[in-house]
């Protein structure tokens, strides 16, 4: 549980609380984000900084750790820019954007250390409301773009992942329609275990609400046409369904963690028959007119067969980073030389650009920024779902890029905070029948 220290002043707590609620509403509502621009996000971080500075007693005791966390958040975008070529030519923009990327993690560290429920009052409501609104508006416009624009398919979500120069006006138009792009789509993939937990641990209309939200998330992910997101979501949902059946058959004797592990077994069989299944998936996608999906499945099949993938396929990019890792596994390209980066995988590029030693240092910085955020996780009845969520984030960072995706970090870090501060109730039907754990996901007194 949290370490409870002397409570911060009302002004300090109010500023910190306002900062995270403002950040969530600004970040997860694209229409608000494009209207308020980056200054609103900076304002949210500034409110948090002011709240921390006004928390006199804690500041005197923890100033050293807080200073280190701020230094890590400021240093991280510089390291990514220099060694991983992230951020393009807009150094200042990337510095601000990526600095805000770590804000939810630092906030969670501070909140868990303080143990004061005032710091995250209303956060659950704001998070659920923002996510629900953006999921629903995204579904509406994605359906409109795919089926009601004549012969041409308007892949709005994929368009939002294209930040090439000259595309700004079109992207702003899409964001004003409150359509979630790459960052939001992958944040919803990571959030699936949390909404499924809501189904397991609530009753009545709240359970129905989480069922609808899970279904809406899944539909939005499919309509977005991001192949990897669709695959991750399908795997998470399939494992969760199999795990739920195992728990039902065992009448609660098999716990959440064990059932999720057993739920992976059927997918070992899927891996054994991956080639015919990939061919079938590619054929079905072609028939349905989903050429992006079909192309990705075909390229994945070629790579698994050991063939040469298309130069536009991610598999070819991954191979570049792997070659860089093999050339200098310990230090990467930190001491000079050509950078062999995929630009499509944060984890592989980190290993190629900074080597094992540099990667370990970055992991240490991440631990420091999130210091104390996971305290009590071993005792939490929901630790298995949290592990699934963070595993989804890790897989996304390995097979894609997360360093630009503030939505992913916000959902994962703040979701963890709310779960671990939401009581120790068991999921309904598991060890404590009728439990309402997710319903009690309110800050502990």
């Amino acid at each position: 549980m949290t370490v409870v220290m002397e409570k911060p002043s009302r002004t300090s707590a109010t500023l910190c609380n306002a900062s995270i609620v403002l950040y969530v509403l600004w970040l997860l509502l694209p229409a608000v984000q494009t209207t308020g621009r980056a200054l609103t996000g900076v304002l949210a971080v500034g409110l948090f900084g002011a709240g921390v500075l006004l928390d006199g007693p804690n500041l005197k005791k923890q100033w050293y750790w807080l200073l280190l966390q701020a230094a890590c958040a400021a240093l991280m975008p510089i390291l990514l820019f220099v060694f991983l070529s992230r951020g393009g030519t807009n150094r200042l923009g990337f510095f601000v954007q990526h600095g805000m990327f770590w804000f939810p993690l630092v906030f969670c560290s501070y909140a868990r250390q303080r143990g004061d429920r005032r710091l995250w009052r209303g956060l659950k409501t704001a998070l659920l409301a923002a996510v629900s609104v953006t999921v629903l508006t995204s579904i509406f416009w994605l359906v409109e773009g795919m089926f009601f624009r004549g012969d041409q398919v308007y892949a709005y979500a994929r368009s939002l992942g294209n930040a090439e120069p000259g595309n700004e006006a079109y992207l702003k138009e899409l964001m004003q329609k409150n359509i979630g792009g790459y960052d939001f789509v992958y944040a919803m993939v990571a959030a699936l275990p949390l909404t499924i937990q809501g189904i397991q641990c609530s009753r009545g209309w709240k359970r129905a609400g989480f069922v609808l939200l899970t279904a809406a998330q899944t539909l939005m992910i499919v309509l977005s046409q991001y192949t990897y997101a669709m695959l991750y979501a399908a795997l998470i949902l399939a494992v969760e369904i199999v795990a739920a059946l195992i728990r039902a058959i065992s009448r609660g004797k098999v716990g959440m963690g064990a059932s999720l592990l057993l739920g992976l077994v059927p997918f070992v069989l899927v891996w054994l028959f991956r080639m015919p299944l990939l061919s079938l998936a590619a054929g079905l996608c072609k028939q349905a007119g989903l050429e992006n999906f079909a192309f990705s499945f075909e390229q994945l099949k070629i790579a698994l067969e050991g063939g040469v993938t298309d130069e536009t396929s991610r598999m070819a990019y991954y191979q570049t980073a792997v070659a860089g890792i093999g050339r200098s596994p310990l230090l990467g390209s930190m001491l000079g030389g050509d950078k062999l980066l995929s630009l499509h995988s944060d984890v592989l590029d980190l290993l190629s650009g900074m080597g094992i030693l540099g990667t370990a240092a970055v992991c240490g910085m991440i631990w420091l920024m999130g210091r104390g955020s996971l305290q009590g996780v071993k005792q939490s009845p929901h630790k298995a779902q949290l592990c699934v969520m963070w595993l989804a984030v890790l897989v996304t960072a390995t097979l894609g890029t997360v360093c630009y995706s503030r939505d992913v970090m916000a959902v994962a870090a703040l979701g963890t905070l709310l779960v671990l501060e939401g009581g120790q109730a068991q999921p309904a039907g598991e060890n404590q029948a009728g439990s309402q754990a997710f319903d009690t996901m309110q800050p502990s007194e």
Side-chain angles (χ1 to χ4, degrees), residues 15 18-49 96-97 100 103 406:
L15 287 173
S19 73
I20 197 63
V21 172
L22 174 62
Y23 184 82
V24 164
L25 294 177
W26 167 77
L27 180 67
L28 298 180
L29 292 170
V32 176
Q33 185 181 145
T34 193
T35 302
R37 306 183 67 83
L39 287 177
T40 305
V42 173
L43 173 62
V45 178
L47 288 175
F48 174 70
V96 173
Q97 179 190 42
M100 287 190 289
F103 168 56
R406 294 166 295 186

Side-chain angles (χ1 to χ4, degrees), residues 399-415:
L399 300 178
T401 54
V402 171
C403 66
Y404 301 103
S405 305
R406 294 166 295 186
D407 308 52
V408 173
M409 178 55 72
V411 168
L414 299 178

Side-chain angles (χ1 to χ4, degrees), residues 361-385:
V362 167
C363 290
M365 293 169 64
I366 296 173
W367 172 86
L368 182 60
M369 286 186 285
R371 173 177 169 265
S373 296
L374 294 176
Q375 56 185 317
V377 69
K378 292 183 179 179
Q379 292 75 40
S380 172
H382 314 300
K383 59 180 178 291
Q385 297 289 24

Side-chain angles (χ1 to χ4, degrees), residues 220-268:
M220 189 209 69
I221 291 167
V222 172
L223 292 174
S224 72
Q225 299 189 49
Y226 282 110
T227 309
Y228 280 70
M230 183 186 70
L231 291 175
Y232 302 159
L235 181 60
I236 290 173
L237 290 172
V239 170
E240 292 280 3
I241 291 171
V242 174
L245 291 174
I246 292 173
R247 291 195 300 275
I249 293 172
S250 68
R251 296 183 179 181
K253 293 180 180 179
V254 179
M256 182 72 71
S259 65
L260 286 172
L261 286 175
L262 291 173
L264 286 171
V265 173
F267 301 99
V268 175

Side-chain angles (χ1 to χ4, degrees), residues 53 80 104 140 151 165 202 214 216 241-242 244 302 314 351 410 445:
L53 292 175
L80 295 182
F140 174 82
D151 296 330
S202 58
T214 303
I241 291 171
V242 174
I302 292 172
R314 282 195 185 187
L351 288 168
E445 298 291 346

